[in-house]
Amino acid sequence: MTDRKINWDGFLGDVNGIEIIDDPQRVRLKSRDYFWYSPILNDVLRKRTAKLVVVPKNEAEVITVASACAKWKVPITVRGGGTGNYGQAVPLVGGIILDITRLDRVLEIGDGFVRCEAGMLVEQLDKEVHKKEQELLMWPSTRSQATIGGFIAGGSGGIGSVRHGVLRDDGNVRSLRIVTLEEEPRIITLEGPDIQKAHHAYGTNGIITELELALQPAVDWHHAVVLFDDYAEGVRFGEALCRDDYDIYLISVVDKRFSPFYRQLKDYFPNNKHAVFSMVGPTTIAQFKADAASRGGEVSLMISDDELVQEGITPSYECAWNHTTLQALKSDRSWTYLQIAYPQPYDPTADQAIMAEFGDELYLHHEFARERGDYQLFALPLLKFSSKERLYQISNRFEELGCGVFDAHVYTIAEGGMKVVDPVQMAFKHEADPYGLMNPGKTSREEADAVLAEYGEG
Ligand SMILES: Cc1cc2nc3c(=O)[nH]c(=O)nc-3n(C[C@H](O)[C@H](O)[C@H](O)COP(=O)(O)OP(=O)(O)OC[C@H]3O[C@@H](n4cnc5c(N)ncnc54)[C@H](O)[C@@H]3O)c2cc1C
């Protein structure tokens, strides 16, 4: 990897006293995330690495590093837990990794909110707020490794989203405190709709050091598995659970062909039945069981979080969303995945056509979530990778059938999401990162091409 001519001695002099990692092996490890779920991204990103990792222990040190980066024109990629899927935390053109994980303190827990530093692990944060009988509204299934800042800068929603919506929905994230990349860094606090300026911006427009999130009273979630002979009936059961008066935190419908990947759950998810994995509140359990029975579903597991831990059973959330891909990859590295959104109301004919056309190349699972109050259905089908051309052929077929595809095999924000550059985020980038040093090449294909031309292909 060729770095532009950077005066590293000058930079190091300015960050003197702050922890630096320069061992090439450790730097390489910290330059990776979960991009390798995509064989396409694996080809383009696996050799990309930073020059150094810098590990500030508080916001004052973050400001010192931001200032030095601006002065010496050093590219900077912020890293939380490094669990992102699209190479979000992989430096395309060298520079430094800013490891944010030592900023890990809770600052305040109030009635309905928590303020904390951005490098806290999501699981740790959820444990802290549980001590006050509250809980996070949503989290990624990677909660034990992911940071809360990384979730907001790189993620979208996940477990809990069927109840509370996605991160971008009003009121879920209450404020972000951001350090700008300037010789004299400023602190900008974003609140309300302004959160969108930095949410899902892949750390391209400022360093989040603190944040405030909404909380809910804690619920004793029970992990449930319901078995069905017919996959479509499982989806209909999932739809029936999408009710405001139900206490539901997760609904995930999983094809029976996933069963061999979930060996630990073989007693609850046999290979001749499709499964609905769910997290259900105590007030809804009786009705949930009655609804399952009325649709021919068999409840094979209903267990509290505490009992689950005692018995060493895999939690429902590790059988859902993108943890499905992880479970499959543990057995066979040739699996990858797609990300699909369905038009509402859900019409199963698209999925029926896909299953008929692609057979064992594709295993379906469906995830329910809310966006702006409305229920939505997503799928992250597991796909047996043979070639890039074939992957896009299947992906295009979903689009022909009226579905939306969020491309998981590209590393820029624009290509992966709405296919356009977000003007609000770009305007904020001019303010928070005037030299274009933050995670260069991640906003759009055009920016990536320009950055690679400037810094060299590596
Ligand atoms: C098996 C699996 C399941 C997953 N499930 C979900 C899911 O359900 N929902 C979901 O949304 N995602 C999911 N993800 C993706 C990812 O785990 C989450 O988005 C996670 O919250 C990212 O947190 P992190 O600390 O690992 O972020 P990182 O990977 O370290 O960073 C993510 C992005 O945010 C930037 N960033 C990190 N910290 C900061 C900061 N303080 N300031 C500015 N920018 C920053 C980074 O530069 C990078 O671009 C999943 C991934 C895997 C592998």
Side-chain angles (χ1 to χ4, degrees), residues 2-283:
T2 49
D3 272 317
R4 224 171 16 175
K5 293 246 170 299
I6 289 171
N7 182 339
W8 286 106
D9 289 340
F11 172 80
L12 285 170
D14 282 358
V15 299
N16 190 24
I18 299 176
E19 183 184 346
I20 302 284
I21 300 172
D22 59 3
D23 167 53
Q25 178 71 5
R26 288 181 68 202
V27 175
R28 253 199 309 279
L29 280 176
K30 290 270 186 188
S31 301
R32 292 174 66 82
D33 61 13
Y34 282 66
F35 63 83
W36 53 268
Y37 277 32
S38 162
I40 297 167
L41 288 180
N42 197 39
D43 274 353
V44 290
L45 294 180
R46 70 175 187 278
K47 296 204 173 128
R48 306 268 156 191
T49 177
K51 169 101 171 159
L52 298 170
V53 179
V54 184
V55 196
K57 62 176 179 302
N58 52 36
E59 187 184 78
E61 290 193 351
V62 170
I63 290 170
T64 303
V65 180
S67 169
C69 285
K71 180 173 163 192
W72 300 105
K73 305 295 174 283
V74 176
I76 169 169
T77 304
V78 188
R79 186 181 204 272
T83 66
N85 286 114
Y86 323 117
Q88 292 154 301
V90 177
L92 211 52
V93 292
I96 66 157
I97 296 279
L98 186 80
D99 180 334
I100 205 82
T101 53
R102 285 178 72 189
L103 273 73
D104 61 354
R105 290 175 310 144
V106 174
L107 302 169
E108 185 183 359
I109 302 177
D111 190 10
F113 73 93
V114 60
R115 205 159 51 80
C116 67
E117 291 185 317
M120 264 201 100
L121 293 181
V122 177
E123 186 170 79
Q124 191 55 37
L125 180 60
D126 204 26
K127 279 184 182 156
E128 293 298 324
V129 301
H130 266 89
K131 289 179 190 164
K132 305 273 181 192
E133 291 167 12
Q134 302 189 73
E135 66 180 22
L136 297 178
L137 303 189
M138 67 197 72
W139 30 266
S141 52
T142 47
R143 58 186 262 135
S144 60
Q145 284 172 278
T147 61
I148 192 66
F151 185 37
I152 286 154
S156 48
I159 322 305
S161 283
V162 73
R163 194 169 191 245
H164 300 295
V166 287
L167 283 170
R168 66 180 306 124
D169 285 343
D170 282 352
N172 287 345
V173 181
R174 292 168 40 143
S175 74
L176 299 176
R177 184 177 160 96
I178 288 178
V179 172
T180 64
L181 241 283
E182 299 172 281
E183 284 91 340
E184 292 186 18
R186 289 168 300 138
I187 303 283
I188 299 177
T189 302
L190 301 176
E191 290 174 336
D194 279 351
I195 302 291
Q196 309 309 338
K197 293 178 179 175
H199 162 48
H200 206 71
Y202 293 11
T204 58
N205 58 11
I207 304 164
I208 304 168
T209 52
E210 283 179 28
L211 50 99
E212 189 175 308
L213 302 173
L215 300 176
Q216 283 285 312
V219 175
D220 179 18
W221 295 113
H222 282 54
H223 299 252
V225 183
V226 185
L227 303 176
F228 287 92
D229 289 321
D230 179 27
Y231 187 83
E233 194 53 42
V235 178
R236 280 192 288 274
F237 174 61
E239 285 182 303
L241 298 174
C242 292
R243 290 173 43 163
D244 286 349
D245 57 342
Y246 272 22
D247 227 2
I248 291 277
Y249 204 61
L250 170 73
I251 309 168
S252 175
V253 187
V254 179
D255 187 297
K256 64 186 175 191
R257 291 171 293 175
F258 278 88
S259 163
F261 305 133
Y262 295 179
R263 280 181 223 112
Q264 260 204 319
L265 283 172
K266 61 181 180 345
D267 295 343
Y268 312 105
F269 181 19
N271 62 11
N272 60 346
K273 300 272 186 184
H274 306 286
V276 178
F277 290 92
S278 193
M279 288 169 73
V280 191
T283 55

Side-chain angles (χ1 to χ4, degrees), residues 270-311:
N271 62 11
N272 60 346
K273 300 272 186 184
H274 306 286
V276 178
F277 290 92
S278 193
M279 288 169 73
V280 191
T283 55
T284 299
I285 290 175
Q287 191 59 47
F288 178 92
K289 287 181 172 170
D291 281 347
S294 72
R295 292 172 180 276
E298 178 202 338
V299 180
S300 62
L301 184 71
M302 177 67 76
I303 190 168
S304 74
D305 223 22
D306 287 346
E307 292 163 335
L308 182 101
V309 173
Q310 271 167 25
E311 297 193 22

